[in-house]
Amino acid sequence: MKKLFAAVIAIAMLFSFAAMAETLKMGTECTFPPYEFYDESDEIVGIDAEIAALICEKLGYDLEIVDMAFDSLIPAVSSGKVDFVMAGLTVTPERASSVDFSASYAQGVQVVIVTEDSDITSIDDLTAEGANHKIGVQQGTTGDIYASSDIADAGYGSVEPFQAGTDAILALTTGKVDCVMIDNEPAKKFVAANEGLKILETPYTVEDYAIAFAKNSELTEKVNAALEELIADGSVQAVIDKYITAE
Ligand code: GLN
């Protein structure tokens, strides 16, 4: 009887320990396939979601994914509302002054999407003498930053910021903007899902994606070490291949 009792207690303790695994909150923005998006059963899936799950598994954490507006991600992680951000987030010197970044786990390329019959045939058309285009972007992204500084501020047109990448695409298909500047992998998905769109051949710029943490967070080193292991053993590439070559 005593033994049985002890066994019951031991099992109960095991369960409560399992339930007590600390949860890490990942901030992201889910209109960014194939990095993060909702699948048919309304689950958040994608490259970032899977890499984050592998990292948490390695470190013994539960993972909770929090979907929010892209431009609230950096404030959310620096104020501790989420523990880290994984959102196809580009490393920039400006962002690095308010968050710490992990090693880079993927590359992104800024590209320009136009309608098939567009008068914009190359990225140079955006900064040509007398150019005056409306450029759709997702608010707060590097696409927004480049379009604002290189095109709008230089007097070649204006920038229309949207909350979600999908909203920027809708504005393009309905003629409210002349093009959309966005990351290449989501761009490919958007072009595949909408008729009459194409990606300009010359990419705008190449960038590094990394995980962001609050400055001096205790997590940075641990998570980064786990990420580096997953990069070294090929797990990260396997996740990327699953989403990017399987189209
Ligand atoms: N890579 C871009 C950036 O960091 C866009 C990311 C996104 O829209 N999720 O600004």
Side-chain angles (χ1 to χ4, degrees):
M1 194 60 185
K2 237 185 187 168
K3 258 192 192 152
L4 179 67
F5 186 67
V8 169
I9 295 282
I11 289 171
M13 274 171 60
L14 258 182
F15 272 107
S16 59
F17 274 129
M20 265 164 46
E22 211 185 312
T23 298
L24 288 189
K25 282 192 188 162
M26 159 179 153
T28 195
E29 194 282 325
C30 294
T31 63
F32 202 70
Y35 289 90
E36 36 271 329
F37 58 102
Y38 289 94
D39 69 6
E40 306 80 44
S41 44
D42 236 16
E43 294 279 340
I44 298 173
V45 295
I47 294 169
D48 289 339
E50 287 204 24
I51 295 174
L54 291 176
I55 291 171
C56 285
E57 192 184 294
K58 222 179 218 310
L59 299 175
Y61 290 107
D62 285 339
L63 173 65
E64 182 189 334
I65 300 181
V66 187
D67 183 13
M68 61 180 86
F70 184 81
D71 61 357
S72 45
L73 289 169
I74 300 265
V77 73
S78 28
S79 67
K81 228 182 254 169
V82 295
D83 298 297
F84 65 96
V85 167
M86 247 181 128
L89 183 71
T90 302
V91 178
T92 70
E94 216 231 313
R95 289 173 181 167
S97 68
S98 48
V99 294
D100 285 338
F101 281 107
S102 69
S104 174
Y105 61 90
Q107 282 204 321
V109 181
Q110 291 298 311
V111 296
V112 175
I113 308 177
V114 293
T115 53
E116 265 161 9
D117 58 1
S118 177
D119 66 329
I120 306 169
T121 57
S122 89
I123 56 168
D124 296 334
D125 291 344
L126 296 172
T127 50
E129 187 69 43
N132 185 18
H133 296 107
K134 263 195 199 149
I135 296 119
V137 296
Q138 186 176 15
Q139 184 150 346
T141 60
T142 47
D144 184 1
I145 297 167
Y146 300 132
S148 300
S149 63
D150 302 354
I151 300 166
D153 295 353
Y156 296 115
S158 57
V159 171
E160 295 269 333
F162 296 89
Q163 200 61 251
T166 42
D167 296 336
I169 297 300
L170 184 64
L172 178 61
T173 55
T174 54
K176 297 197 176 77
V177 297
D178 301 307
C179 62
V180 169
M181 194 181 291
I182 201 155
D183 302 45
N184 61 329
E185 292 303 332
K188 284 192 218 159
K189 300 281 180 196
F190 295 145
V191 167
N194 291 275
E195 244 167 69
L197 299 183
K198 65 175 185 193
I199 299 173
L200 293 183
E201 247 164 60
T202 335
Y204 201 78
T205 181
V206 180
E207 335 183 287
D208 287 322
Y209 292 166
I211 308 174
F213 306 89
K215 279 265 168 217
N216 307 313
S217 160
E218 282 165 16
L219 268 182
T220 312
E221 223 180 278
K222 267 199 277 191
V223 170
N224 195 49
L227 173 67
E228 302 255 31
E229 278 173 42
L230 292 164
I231 292 172
D233 73 10
S235 307
V236 164
Q237 194 57 48
V239 171
I240 293 174
D241 289 347
K242 172 177 160 190
Y243 284 92
I244 293 185
T245 49
E247 359 216 61

